[in-house]
């Protein structure tokens, strides 16, 4: 953890330390779980007026908030670095992503939430006008992780707010400070009180689940399972983005320089603490040596450290360093070779050097368990079929990447991979695709996150409204009609039901 301590004089106050330097990043007041029902009640009350504003009214508020975030970007990024030990380059990615998502939804809320007309299923139902409405849920609980304190909190909150919901945000107890600034900004643009914070750990998360009408959770698969189990007690719907072990496939016709640099950035960005990090690479044997040499050359140019002038910073805490080192040492003990890194450096801070591992296989933890650290295991394969089989040999299915100069070939490979998104000749870029949803398969989650109309509609309930186009034949099958009229209606309905296409039927 970002070493969290509770002060001795005030029991509900914590001190957050920078994991890179040990310096104090700030203070946080933890929320009493007993207070969360009252917080939710306030959100539920404020949500009614927020919904009544309609898409255009909410878009105006979100526009003011976007301007505030842009104006306070330096302040937010400085706090991000202090709270997480990120490099300045990594911290600089978060606010722009949130602004991209805001921009998309500000322009598209009205279209996303417009009632949809549905065609009649048969001539018999042509007398009815069918519409589907999207009605916001009152309170959306968002339980966010620590790796991107701004982006992971707001990318879902924006969609919920755009839909007309109120949001109860529970940031990670490891990185609670940035959320306070985000809430301050919401209040400073005179937005209604439909965004609130719940600060704390497990008991606070449980309380948020208990009072919410929908839960968005981002985190580990193990914790996601617990969240879903608790939400099931009240039949509360959930969307879960969980762990990943994202594969990259490098074909023999790939642009090796591009693929190597993509692998290094995809694996080391944010010290590997990204849900869609490149965590394992399968390279066709014809270009394996060339690829490995290019990767090592690129890694040797990286600088590690917090703040300005570095490529990536510290891991979030000692426990994450321990996981990373355990995976590396397990691989080395089983016959792998570390071409770079491989051992934690001496000195202060929770840093781990960029580590390239070769001679790896699926008996090693680095190829099967989520590392969430700056490692890059590379495995030689003899065919694309083998690469696809190994890529799919995982409990996870978040995203993947395929590198080949033949784009159609790469697309054909992509649709054989069992995951929620595949990037062709790139990595992580699906996160920037605000028009498309993001979601994982298998143990990587259920449902989708931000992106597209789905990123707003997921927070809504669907309501079908059926309106008569005419009074002709109204109530034809009601009890008060004659038996002869009921018989005619039954005959007509049977005729319609039997008018299904017969082609191919046996």
């Amino acid at each position: 953890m970002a070493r969290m301590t509770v002060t001795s004089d005030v029991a509900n106050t914590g001190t957050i330390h920078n994991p890179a330097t040990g310096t104090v990043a700030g203070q946080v007041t933890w929320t009493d779980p007993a207070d969360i029902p009252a917080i939710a009640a306030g959100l539920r009350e404020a949500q009614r007026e927020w919904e009544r504003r309609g898409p255009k009214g909410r878009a105006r508020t979100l526009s003011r908030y976007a301007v505030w975030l842009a104006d306070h970007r330096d302040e937010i990024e400085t706090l991000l670095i202090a709270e997480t030990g990120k490099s300045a380059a990594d911290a600089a990615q978060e606010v722009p992503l949130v602004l991209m998502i805001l921009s998309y939804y500000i322009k598209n809320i009205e279209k996303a939430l417009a009632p949809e007309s549905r065609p009649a299923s048969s001539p018999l139902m042509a007398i009815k006008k069918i519409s589907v409405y999207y009605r916001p849920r009152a309170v959306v609980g968002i339980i966010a992780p620590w790796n991107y304190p701004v982006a992971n909190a707001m990318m879902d909150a924006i969609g919920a707010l755009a839909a007309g919901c109120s949001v109860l945000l529970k940031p990670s107890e490891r990185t609670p400070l940035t959320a306070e600034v985000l809430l301050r900004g919401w209040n400073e643009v005179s937005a209604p009180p439909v965004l609130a914070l719940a600060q704390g750990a497990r008991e606070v998360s449980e309380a948020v689940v208990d009072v919410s009408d929908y839960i968005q959770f981002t985190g580990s698969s193990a914790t996601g399972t617990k969240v879903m189990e608790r939400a099931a007690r009240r039949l509360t719907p959930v969307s879960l983005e969980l762990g990943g072990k994202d594969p990259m496939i490098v074909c023999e016709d790939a642009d090796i320089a591009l693929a190597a640099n993509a692998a290094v950035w995809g694996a080391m960005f944010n010290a590997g603490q990204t849900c869609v990090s490149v965590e394992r690479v399968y390279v066709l044997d014809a270009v394996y040596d060339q690829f490995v040499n290019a990767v090592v050359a690129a890694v040797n140019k990286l600088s590690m450290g917090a703040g300005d002038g570095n490529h990536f910073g510290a891991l979030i805490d000692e426990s994450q360093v321990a996981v990373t080192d355990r995976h590396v040492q397990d691989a080395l003990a089983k016959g792998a070779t570390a071409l770079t890194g491989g051992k934690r450096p001496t000195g202060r801070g929770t840093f781990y050097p960029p580590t390239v591992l070769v001679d790896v296989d699926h008996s090693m933890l680095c190829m099967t368990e989520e590392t969430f650290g700056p490692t890059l295991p590379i495995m030689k394969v003899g065919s694309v079929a083998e690469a696809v089989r190994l890529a799919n040999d995982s409990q996870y299915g978040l995203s993947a990447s395929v590198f080949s100069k033949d784009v159609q070939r790469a697309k054909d490979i992509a649709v054989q991979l069992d995951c929620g998104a595949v990037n062709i000749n790139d990595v992580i870029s699906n996160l920037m695709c605000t028009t498309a949803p993001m979601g994982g398969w298998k143990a990587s989650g259920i449902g989708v996150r931000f992106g597209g109309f789905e990123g707003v509609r997921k927070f809504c309930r669907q309501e079908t409204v059926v309106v008569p186009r005419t009074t002709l034949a109204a109530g034809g099958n009601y009890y008060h009609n004659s038996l002869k009229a009921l018989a005619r209606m039954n005959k007509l309905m049977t005729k319609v039901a039997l008018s299904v296409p017969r082609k191919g039927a046996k």
Side-chain angles (χ1 to χ4, degrees), residues 67-90:
V67 171
W68 189 94
L69 289 172
D71 289 344
H72 291 77
R73 180 179 173 183
D74 289 346
E75 176 189 356
I76 294 169
E77 290 174 2
T78 298
L79 183 55
L80 273 175
I81 294 169
E83 187 171 38
T84 65
K86 289 178 184 275
S87 69
D90 286 345

Side-chain angles (χ1 to χ4, degrees), residues 3 12 32 99 102 121 151 240 250 267 284-285 359 369 425 440-441 443 462:
R3 293 184 295 166
N12 66 337
D32 187 337
L99 292 176
L102 272 163
S121 59
L240 309 174
V250 182
L284 271 291
D285 50 9
D359 304 320
E369 292 187 3
N425 294 328
W441 295 12
Q462 295 182 27

Side-chain angles (χ1 to χ4, degrees), residues 382-405:
S383 67
V384 168
E386 182 185 7
V388 169
R389 178 180 62 79
L390 290 167
N392 288 337
D393 181 23
S394 174
Q395 64 174 319
Y396 298 111
L398 196 52
S399 72
S401 55
V402 179
F403 281 75
S404 170
K405 290 178 181 177

Side-chain angles (χ1 to χ4, degrees), residues 292-371:
V292 169
N293 290 337
V295 164
V296 170
V299 167
N300 284 333
K301 295 177 182 178
L302 298 181
S303 61
M304 180 176 64
D308 292 326
N310 296 295
H311 292 94
F312 68 88
L315 296 177
I316 192 64
D317 60 25
E318 291 290 343
S319 66
Q320 201 56 47
V321 174
V323 170
T324 303
D325 193 55
R326 177 168 59 86
H327 286 190
V328 170
Q329 301 311 317
D330 171 80
L332 296 178
K334 293 175 180 176
T337 302
L339 300 181
T340 68
K343 184 179 180 181
R344 180 179 181 176
T346 57
R348 192 169 200 169
T350 53
F351 293 98
Y352 203 89
T355 299
V356 177
L357 295 168
V358 295
D359 304 320
V360 294
D361 58 47
H362 277 220
S363 71
M364 301 172 185
L365 299 177
C366 70
M367 296 295 284
T368 58
E369 292 187 3
E370 184 176 38
T371 304

